Amino acid sequence: FLLSLKLENKTKGKLQKQICQVVLDHFEKQYTTELGDTWTSVRDVLTYPLCWQYGILLNKFSQPAGLEDTLLVKGYHPAFRGPLPYLPASLKCYIRRTPGRFPAQKHQAGKLKEYYLLNAASLLPVLALEVKDGEDVLDLCAAPGGKSIAVLQCAYPGSFHCNEYDALRSRWLKQTIESFIPDPLINLITVSELDGRQVGDLKPELYDKVLVDAPCSNDRSWLFSSDIQQATLRLMQRKELPSLQFQLLRSAIKALRPGGLLVYSTCTLSQAENSDVINLILNSCSNIRPVDISEMAKAVSQEFAFLRGMQQHELLVLPEKGRTWGPMYVAKLKKM
């Protein structure tokens, strides 16, 4: 216990990073317009890593006796309780109100990790996807792999295709899968490095469920860019992201079977990369319908803060003190 406290404090030291003023100024301008007064409280959380919380996703394939008891003693509780439309008993994520990070586990060849540290809001796209045993599933932009791991905590897909275009991130994805998933199940998983925009043409109507966790302005990490030139370049290229996200969605829709479900998610507050992209898809694809996820949002509203005024097929998790989860945008669509 003392050792883990020391580790927590060591992590806290690491978190005192420098804010990138160029990025903050850019966000300040955009998000004051889009979010109004709400932005002030969101900014206070995003710019102060010492108040951030971390969720602990347990790995059902490597469950040590006593881990859940240890978490309860340390003040953690299950993140998801209550009448969720979809909540497999095997998906277990623990959170606590106080900030701080549980010690991470190192990758060891041949040994499965017991848990995965994550922003608990990143499990909402997985809950919205509602994967069932035997379904064919595509995770189109899968690295670093947290959502892929979460899908496999929920169900045993018939086949599971995890795609990541970037070679470096793809290696990271493979290592994550090796760290969490046992051998027999790994055989169900295909990892590819295809351009996500072409997957729909290469694999038309092959999947029951598709997750598009799209490349986006990662608000949380961009604020702490250490390289100002890289940050400036990112902000210039930011305008091109909605076009890429739209093309990825179009590809995902082609890959989806009629009757199949698609979940789109990002970790940005940006309206251009969230609602605007989804509205464009709904207006340009006659075979796509929005799916109501307001019941899911209502069931988790004690633990997560949401932006008001969203449509029923979408939600946006806003970080706030004591509930520092997000940003996380989720939208759900169905192919007719």
Side-chain angles (χ1 to χ4, degrees):
F1 180 67
L2 281 172
L3 178 68
S4 65
L5 270 181
K6 271 185 196 163
L7 282 165
E8 275 184 29
N9 290 330
K10 199 172 157 191
T11 314
K12 277 181 187 169
K14 274 186 201 162
L15 285 173
Q16 288 170 330
K17 315 181 259 194
Q18 287 295 303
I19 287 165
C20 181
Q21 198 58 46
V22 182
V23 176
L24 183 58
D25 292 345
H26 181 91
F27 284 178
E28 195 78 53
K29 215 158 125 185
Q30 180 183 348
Y31 294 148
T32 303
T33 308
E34 290 181 14
L35 300 171
D37 295 341
T38 311
W39 164 241
T40 311
S41 57
V42 170
R43 182 194 59 207
D44 289 348
V45 170
L46 290 181
T47 55
Y48 187 58
L50 292 183
C51 78
W52 293 0
Q53 294 153 277
Y54 294 85
I56 301 169
L57 175 67
L58 302 193
N59 185 11
K60 70 176 181 184
F61 304 110
S62 170
Q63 254 330 285
L67 177 58
E68 287 186 74
D69 292 338
T70 304
L71 291 172
L72 292 169
V73 167
K74 281 175 161 274
Y76 285 87
H77 61 269
F80 304 107
R81 296 176 285 197
L84 271 151
Y86 170 85
L87 180 62
S90 52
L91 181 78
K92 290 181 177 178
C93 176
Y94 280 83
I95 59 175
R96 66 176 178 185
R97 290 281 178 187
T98 48
R101 193 176 188 154
F102 204 66
Q105 292 182 312
K106 284 201 163 60
H107 174 73
Q108 289 176 277
K111 190 172 188 294
L112 295 182
K113 290 187 183 182
E114 295 156 4
Y115 54 84
Y116 186 92
L117 300 180
L118 77 173
N119 183 329
S122 63
L123 293 175
L124 295 176
V126 175
L127 290 173
L129 198 61
E130 300 192 30
V131 175
K132 305 203 170 47
D133 289 350
E135 289 181 328
D136 298 315
V137 182
L138 167 65
D139 188 347
L140 191 63
C141 316
K147 292 180 182 69
S148 303
I149 297 304
V151 163
L152 292 165
Q153 301 303 315
C154 294
Y156 294 93
S159 67
F160 192 17
H161 181 180
C162 299
N163 182 66
E164 177 53 52
Y165 183 47
D166 183 281
L168 192 68
R169 285 172 62 81
S170 181
R171 283 211 294 279
W172 190 5
L173 168 67
K174 282 175 190 154
Q175 191 180 75
T176 305
I177 290 170
E178 279 168 25
S179 293
F180 285 89
I181 308 303
D183 270 348
L185 193 56
I186 279 192
N187 301 333
L188 295 177
I189 305 167
T190 307
V191 178
S192 65
E193 291 179 18
L194 302 167
D195 182 336
R197 294 168 291 188
Q198 292 164 4
V199 170
D201 289 326
L202 295 169
K203 301 184 179 292
E205 301 196 346
L206 214 63
Y207 304 99
D208 303 295
K209 303 279 167 75
V210 179
L211 176 63
V212 183
D213 186 41
C216 68
S217 318
N218 186 330
D219 297 356
R220 220 177 245 258
S221 70
W222 280 22
L223 274 167
F224 296 94
S225 307
S226 50
D227 183 335
I228 292 191
Q229 278 179 304
Q230 187 199 34
T232 311
L233 185 65
R234 274 176 175 170
L235 292 173
M236 282 163 59
Q237 293 172 336
R238 195 177 191 207
K239 297 182 193 73
E240 295 158 28
L241 283 168
S243 166
L244 169 65
Q245 291 155 345
F246 178 76
Q247 289 169 49
L248 287 168
L249 270 172
R250 281 261 295 265
S251 171
I253 289 162
K254 284 182 187 171
L256 197 59
R257 290 182 180 132
L261 293 170
L262 182 154
V263 169
Y264 173 77
S265 60
T266 73
C267 52
T268 179
L269 299 160
S270 174
Q271 193 182 311
E273 298 175 50
N274 294 338
S275 301
D276 290 358
V277 173
I278 293 297
N279 289 339
L280 194 57
I281 279 289
L282 289 170
N283 291 330
S284 59
C285 300
S286 57
N287 61 340
I288 292 298
R289 299 282 180 275
V291 179
D292 187 346
I293 52 172
S294 58
E295 279 305 304
M296 180 182 85
K298 204 162 79 184
V300 297
S301 58
Q302 261 190 304
E303 302 294 354
F304 299 91
F306 296 105
L307 180 66
R308 294 172 192 273
M310 301 293 278
Q311 297 185 77
Q312 288 185 316
H313 61 273
E314 58 176 1
L315 58 85
L316 178 61
V317 180
L318 299 175
E320 63 171 38
K321 291 264 167 65
R323 298 190 293 181
T324 61
W325 315 112
M328 181 58 57
Y329 176 80
V330 184
K332 186 170 180 175
L333 307 171
K334 182 173 185 171
K335 185 172 182 176
M336 305 316 283

